[in-house]
Amino acid sequence: MKHLEEKTLSSQQIFKGRYLKVEQDEVQGPDGKVYYREYILHPGAAMMIPILPNGNVVMVHQYRHAVKQVMLEFPAGKRDRGEDSLVTAKRELAEETGYLANEWKLLTEIHPVIGYSNEQIDLYLAMDLSRTEQRLDQGEFLEVIEVAPKELMTLIQQGKVTDVKTQIGAFWLDKILRGEWN
């Protein structure tokens, strides 16, 4: 696949926000011509699928300004600089939901928006949950709810859960609960 790669000739930061940066690269394409590529640098994130002893999953309702909607999602959060994604997952699960997990399993890593960002989200199964204190960040507003996995799949099928990381996590969970994947 080397014949499809582009060679970066120069790179410049064209925007720097609180945690996102936009880069513009000048590249030489496989055809030898020069092109410009703009993309968002993202610090990475972790998403958790917390499973309660009753088989339900812990989810959150959260307003997402970019789409101007309250979304139903699995809890997730961005990595702090130099932080291992499992540390991120444990921290964010406690902060957002008020749960701790004694058992963790990395399921996969995803790149949800490869056309314009390098964002990578590591998806974890969080099991053997216990309650702790919810500690939301300043300006973070969430509602924590329990959802049965079957109900979650119905909501996805009805177009009521459109967050891609949550959909991917739900499909992984469905395969695991059916015994099709370990």
Side-chain angles (χ1 to χ4, degrees):
M1 298 299 158
K2 203 90 167 133
H3 67 283
L4 296 175
E5 292 181 10
E6 298 175 341
K7 179 182 175 188
T8 301
L9 304 174
S10 67
S11 185
Q12 68 174 350
Q13 187 174 90
I14 58 175
F15 173 80
K16 182 178 181 181
R18 195 168 46 101
Y19 76 97
L20 294 178
K21 298 173 182 129
V22 179
E23 299 281 311
Q24 183 180 64
D25 290 357
E26 181 182 37
V27 301
Q28 183 177 32
D31 61 359
K33 294 180 182 173
V34 174
Y35 300 95
Y36 291 90
R37 307 290 187 224
E38 294 173 355
Y39 56 97
I40 298 169
L41 293 177
H42 189 284
M47 185 197 82
M48 300 67 65
I49 304 169
I51 302 177
L52 293 164
N54 66 7
N56 289 343
V57 291
V58 177
M59 300 188 75
V60 296
H61 279 124
Q62 183 172 14
Y63 178 76
R64 296 299 193 167
H65 186 75
V67 292
K68 312 276 189 294
Q69 296 182 57
V70 173
M71 306 293 280
L72 178 62
E73 310 172 45
F74 282 122
K78 72 172 186 64
R79 277 199 231 166
D80 289 341
R81 183 184 304 264
E83 185 176 56
D84 179 79
S85 71
L86 181 56
V87 172
T88 304
K90 290 178 178 182
R91 174 177 48 77
E92 290 290 337
L93 180 64
E95 285 178 7
E96 291 193 355
T97 69
Y99 281 97
L100 299 173
N102 290 315
E103 191 178 340
W104 291 88
K105 180 178 181 182
L106 176 64
L107 299 177
T108 192
E109 65 182 40
I110 62 172
H111 295 93
V113 287
I114 58 173
Y116 60 86
S117 179
N118 70 340
E119 181 179 13
Q120 175 183 316
I121 305 173
D122 295 333
L123 277 53
Y124 288 92
L125 206 53
M127 300 158 290
D128 190 16
L129 302 181
S130 59
R131 294 291 294 158
T132 188
E133 182 184 346
Q134 183 186 37
R135 297 178 309 274
L136 296 174
D137 292 333
Q138 176 86 21
E140 186 173 38
F141 308 97
L142 303 173
E143 176 184 67
V144 179
I145 66 166
E146 278 186 43
V147 179
K150 187 175 180 177
E151 179 187 354
L152 176 57
M153 295 306 289
T154 299
L155 291 170
I156 290 170
Q157 185 179 25
Q158 292 172 345
K160 295 179 179 173
V161 174
T162 60
D163 172 55
V164 70
K165 70 184 180 313
T166 298
Q167 284 190 359
I168 292 169
F171 289 127
W172 269 82
L173 178 63
D174 187 61
K175 289 284 195 183
I176 291 166
L177 293 177
R178 290 173 184 262
E180 296 173 16
W181 291 356
N182 292 333

